[in-house]
Amino acid sequence: MKTHAQAVIIGGGVVGVSVLYHLAVAGMRDVVLLEQNELTSGSTWHAAGGVTTLNSDANVSRLQKYTFDLYRELEKTTGLSCGIHHNGGIYLAADDGQMDFLKLIHSRARTLKMDTELISVSEAKARNVLIEEQHFKGALWREDGGHVDPWLVTQAYASAARELGAEINRFTKVMALNARPDGSWDVVTDKGTIHAEHVVNAAGLWAREIGRMVGLDLPVLAMEHHYLVTEALPELEGLEREIINTSDFTGEIYLRQEGKGVLLGTYEQNCRPWSPITTPDDFHSQLLPNDIERIAPELERGFKHFPALARAGIKKLVNGPFTFSPDGNPLVGPVKGLRNFWVACAVMAGFSQGGGVGLVLSRWIKDGDPGQDVLAMDVSRYGPYATPAYTAIKVDENYKRRFRLAFPNEEMPAARPLRRTPIYDSLKQRGALFGANFGLENALWFAPKGVEPVENPTYRRSNAMPFVREECLTVRERVGLYESSNYGKYEITGKGSRTWLDRVFACRIPRPGRMCIAPMLNSSARIIGDLSIACLAEDRYLIIGSGFAETFHMRWFWSSDPPDNVFIRAASSTLTGFSIAGPHARQVLQKLTHQDLSNEAFRFFAVREMALGMSPAIVCRAGFTGELGYEIWVTPDYQQTLFDEIMMAGEAFGIGLFGGRALSSLRLEKNYGSFNKDFRPDYTVGETGLDAFVDFNKPDFVGKSAAVAEKESGPKRRFVVFSVDAPQADVIGYEVVLKDGEPVGYCTSGSWGHFVGKSLAAGYVPTALAGDGETFEIDILGQHCRAVIVERPLHDPDGLRLRS
């Protein structure tokens, strides 16, 4: 065994060998994989091996497509079979909501250049003779996907990695991980110690144990998962090809052909976690006791929807553990505070996602960047709130909903409320319907008196629409108050703050008493963050950004080498906030302070520390609605008092509360993009239009050379806002944008513009097509809706109101 390696990968399942292979392909040949038993002896060996290319996140879908295509390449490279059954897949819909989902997926597939087709139930039955047509309304066929042999795929990865010089050590147990001051690691095993520049935790069922060696409590939990294989079915005799892999949302059943029989699995409601505290060391190549009674309700529905299965004998029952994260997506990437320590775990769909995970992680380790947007599976999407107790509750919820649709306007209830601000109860008493952002409750909309704050899950416009409209009109015509505590907040202090910020951010750093829009770029000039910086003093700054990205941004700050005289602190729990906006916003706040808030004394993008009523506050002349507005930040002990005082001061001006849904509508009426929805690491600063806030005259900043090169050549695509003739539904995200019937772009977000009376959508199209008034069509739930680019905002295009 080697005593030194560029990287040590811990875990010999499909994910670990994929990471090993991809690191070797990337040129890191001095890499070692350690497996405490035989390869594939954890979850990999009993996996069903299904492969699908579709995921609720478009970027994960791209990586799943890459994974499936990679299996062909592995076969060519190694001469070994991966046991590929390229038979595509069918999703069956039993009601209108499920049909809407399939229409959305079909539109997204065109964006991703994947081959799908909406088909009738009779056409679905022609591809899977087992379907009982009467239970379904329609189906979606996908060309990519199928299933593979788990053991053969793992061996192919391993063989290809060895050919490139990688080393695999089986039956080698990791005993300890010791960090060195230079960021490298001593990996202590029962066969000796390896000094490694990087360590990758791809330990699957044992990922928690490896994490605990370095002080991590990863949000991972294993669940028992059943599937069965039937005896031979007469209905399958004489078919020219295998039946197509089939997913049944209503039955919560997936099935595919296995020999002359069928493999059928389910995500049962009566689910059970496995080994919730510690994974046994001696659990290798083992199954769990069969408990078919737990899946009996799902099997009953499955037999009803696929009657031939009810007549078949059971050849084999499999019950084995798989690991899940709270939202079901993998945990991938570097961990803040642990130099050169990486995770690649909770990859439940290992044969759909393992190749993509290996690809992005190898780029990240070698080049310092994953090469594409991986926010949906970045380990940093969780914060300290993701405790083991939280993880257990959310994994249970996610497992039960694996085959149940998650509507875009639906909020998952498990483990809530968790994080609450002091005014949570006050907002609840006023009819708030809450969502959760980074574990923190935030109001989405408010029900008027006599109306229950309940929203019907749908892909179309919901029952909340009239209430959200009233909130939007309140902001545009009078004054509205929004609780902004769910924003990310960071305090930067110390003598070196300005110099460090000047390097990390692409904008001109504001002087005391001023704030600015602050794009943060990676070395390729892609968007890492769309934040704002408020300068409170020469050595004191408040940065505001997206709440979900707190750990993501703190990791980026930490990796940007702040000097000893710069101190960075996340302030999400120590600062609460409000946004007040509307024509009467100044008059309301002026009643609470002796300081002059006139436009001459307190200009747009000014920031000041002042007393508001009885509360010391930081007040910024800014907002996200396009109206005269202010953002206010106070410590939690003052929030309730200030809330009461603002509401009392605003009574005479018709003040009302508004939530996140109204904010989404208001910001699209102003052509404002939003980080995570519209601005993500896939997009360059020029493509987003955030280059308007870049100081190209600065000597240097992260991403400058790439940003300058793009400025000189011009971006290939542009962020635009469309006015859409959409009679029944608004854009959700990643719907295809068509020009003369051909895909040319896609949407990133959408909403009904309640004040302008238009359906609005944001997205990206080629620069040559990004002109004002250019017409397109957007496929919204199967309907091609005319869409026109509006270069200038439909509301207050000159920005006079927000600067008034």
Side-chain angles (χ1 to χ4, degrees), residues 441-673:
E441 297 293 314
N442 58 283
L444 299 178
W445 56 271
F446 292 84
K449 287 183 179 180
V451 176
E452 281 293 312
V454 175
E455 188 166 3
N456 301 328
T458 180
Y459 288 94
R460 298 173 186 265
R461 294 171 188 141
S462 80
N463 61 299
M465 191 171 180
F467 312 129
V468 175
R469 178 180 184 274
E470 286 305 310
E471 293 173 24
C472 292
L473 297 183
T474 294
V475 173
R476 293 279 186 245
E477 296 172 354
R478 301 190 304 277
V479 57
L481 186 69
Y482 171 79
E483 190 198 6
S484 55
S485 301
N486 60 316
Y487 292 1
K489 286 90 65 180
Y490 315 90
E491 294 176 348
I492 314 294
T493 58
K495 291 184 178 180
S497 297
R498 176 173 289 276
T499 300
W500 179 76
L501 289 170
D502 210 28
R503 176 170 57 84
V504 173
F505 286 89
C507 61
R508 180 179 301 168
I509 306 303
R511 291 297 173 183
R514 300 294 297 167
M515 64 180 295
C516 70
I517 303 298
M520 188 161 60
L521 315 180
N522 66 11
S523 59
S524 302
R526 296 186 180 273
I527 298 296
I528 295 296
D530 171 26
L531 305 102
S532 64
I533 299 176
C535 181
L536 305 175
E538 195 64 33
D539 60 353
R540 229 176 111 230
Y541 299 83
L542 176 64
I543 298 178
I544 307 297
S546 299
F548 88 95
E550 180 188 289
T551 304
F552 176 78
H553 284 146
M554 283 296 291
R555 184 182 66 192
W556 185 260
F557 295 152
W558 171 80
S559 69
S560 299
D561 297 321
D564 292 340
N565 61 352
V566 174
F567 306 94
I568 306 167
R569 187 171 74 91
S572 66
S573 295
T574 56
L575 280 179
T576 55
F578 298 105
S579 174
I580 185 170
H584 298 308
R586 178 183 291 117
Q587 292 163 283
V588 174
L589 286 193
Q590 191 66 77
K591 293 178 70 173
L592 299 177
T593 183
H594 297 297
Q595 296 210 28
D596 184 1
L597 298 184
S598 68
N599 199 38
E600 294 74 21
F602 198 49
R603 295 180 295 126
F604 184 59
F605 274 6
V607 59
R608 192 181 300 172
E609 295 180 271
M610 65 174 74
L612 285 180
M614 294 188 290
S615 303
I618 299 170
V619 181
C620 305
R621 173 79 189 277
F624 205 39
T625 66
E627 297 296 325
L628 167 65
Y630 304 84
E631 291 181 352
I632 305 163
W633 306 102
V634 295
T635 52
D637 47 340
Y638 289 102
Q639 193 195 24
Q640 181 68 62
T641 296
L642 182 56
F643 175 75
D644 293 339
E645 290 181 319
I646 292 175
M647 294 303 290
M648 186 177 298
E651 279 184 6
F653 302 97
I655 195 169
L657 298 173
F658 69 103
R661 297 278 170 75
L663 188 63
S664 293
S665 173
L666 295 165
R667 62 101 178 168
L668 278 174
E669 291 182 339
K670 288 292 295 177
N671 288 22
Y672 295 160

Side-chain angles (χ1 to χ4, degrees), residues 235-255:
E235 289 82 359
L236 304 184
E237 292 291 336
L239 297 181
E240 293 183 3
R241 56 170 291 174
E242 287 185 349
I243 61 171
I244 292 182
N245 291 19
T246 302
S247 298
D248 171 11
F249 298 121
T250 303
E252 298 174 307
I253 291 290
Y254 64 89
L255 62 87

Side-chain angles (χ1 to χ4, degrees), residues 663-725:
L663 188 63
S664 293
S665 173
L666 295 165
R667 62 101 178 168
L668 278 174
E669 291 182 339
K670 288 292 295 177
N671 288 22
Y672 295 160
S674 174
F675 187 66
N676 192 34
K677 290 182 178 179
D678 309 304
F679 305 152
R680 295 171 65 112
D682 264 350
Y683 310 121
T684 66
V685 67
E687 290 170 344
T688 61
L690 291 174
D691 54 343
F693 304 103
V694 171
D695 181 6
F696 287 99
N697 295 319
K698 289 202 299 186
D700 195 23
F701 56 84
V702 176
K704 181 178 180 180
S705 59
V708 169
E710 182 184 46
K711 184 180 181 183
E712 292 173 351
S713 63
K716 296 179 180 178
R717 58 185 174 181
R718 288 279 190 182
F719 174 72
V720 295
V721 173
F722 305 92
S723 173
V724 190
D725 296 338

